[in-house]
Amino acid sequence: MPLFNKQKRIQYLGFDDVRSCLIGIFIISFITNYLFNTTPERNTFDLIFIGYAVNVFFTICYWLLIRNILIFLRKKYPDFKDDKKRIIILMLLAVCTVVIVDYVGGELTARFIRLFGYYSNHRVELKVLIPIVIITVMVMAIYEAIYLYNRLKKSIRQEEQAKQVMIQAQLDTLRNQARPHFLFNSLNTLRDIIDQDSKEDAKRFVDNLSDVYRFIIESGNSNIISLEKELKFAQAYIHIQSERFGENLHVKWDIPEDKLSIMIVPMSLQLLLENAIKHNVVSRSKPLIINISIKEDSLVVNNKIQAKSTQTPSTKIGLKNIEKRYQLISNKTPVIINDGENFTVKLPLLSPSN
């Protein structure tokens, strides 16, 4: 029963009300005794005690009966959409309970008191019932307010948890999308090496590629990683590309050491480097220079546009992938600037709170 089971009390009432019951019964009994049992003829200790005891008895009956009605209605109408119906039924049953308990309990206590030689004649009076109904409604309103507050809090928490699950699922999808994107472009690079260079160069590229993929696997399923780790990954990627392009590919790093602990979306820098190499001419006559620096809490990747005459097949997911992951993780969005001469992307640096 909810009366004796703490877990059930919390489930149906929103809190453990044992202490509230004891304190409330004591206070309301004192108030009703003061309001209704202060007639001049009740001036002896035994009559005062009997009057208070009767009020305690009635208060316990009112409280526990209506409390059980409240629990029954919450079981029967658990949904938010049924709240209005449940509260109306509760108020009606509370009034009926007060009237029935006052009449039946009054007759029983009057007969019980007469057994000890005291005169008692119970009458149902509106001037007594109305204050009791008002007090009862006030107590039930407090129960309802606490219950509603806890349900709203639980509902908001469940909604947030559902959102987190959905966001995490989307992030997992995007992260898993970025990895094949990297492999797709790497295979294109390998094809070019096979066409242009020796088999030994191709073998060395595959070995280095496996090392980079090991880094991807070890990074796990993190949604953000430190800038230091992302830089190591990006540098490993550039090392692979340098075997193909040699001195024709230049990457200038301008990263202060005190910024290395700041967080960033995994593989975002690598994707930008990949896109720059993929969509621009990299040759002795037109070396590709990529500048990487930090400005105003953003990682800035910039290169001069050297468009290829024939474009490599593109999945067109690199920049969109980065943008979506930033939108899911934080309220910050990468800034993309293409002025026709230079292509610049600013990746916001994040803190764990973001």
Side-chain angles (χ1 to χ4, degrees), residues 67-94:
R67 179 181 177 276
N68 283 328
I69 291 171
L70 182 146
I71 291 172
F72 169 78
L73 290 174
R74 287 180 181 175
K75 289 180 181 179
K76 186 173 179 62
Y77 303 108
D79 297 331
F80 277 106
K81 62 183 176 65
D82 296 324
D83 280 357
K84 186 176 180 180
K85 182 197 299 183
R86 178 173 52 78
I87 291 172
I88 291 173
I89 296 173
L90 174 63
M91 293 302 119
L92 292 174
L93 291 178

Side-chain angles (χ1 to χ4, degrees), residues 28 34 89 130 141 156 159 167 172 178 203 218 266 293 310 326:
I28 292 174
Y34 177 79
I89 296 173
I130 290 174
I156 291 170
E159 186 177 346
I167 288 172
D172 291 343
K203 290 179 181 179
E218 289 174 354
S293 60
T310 56
Y326 264 100

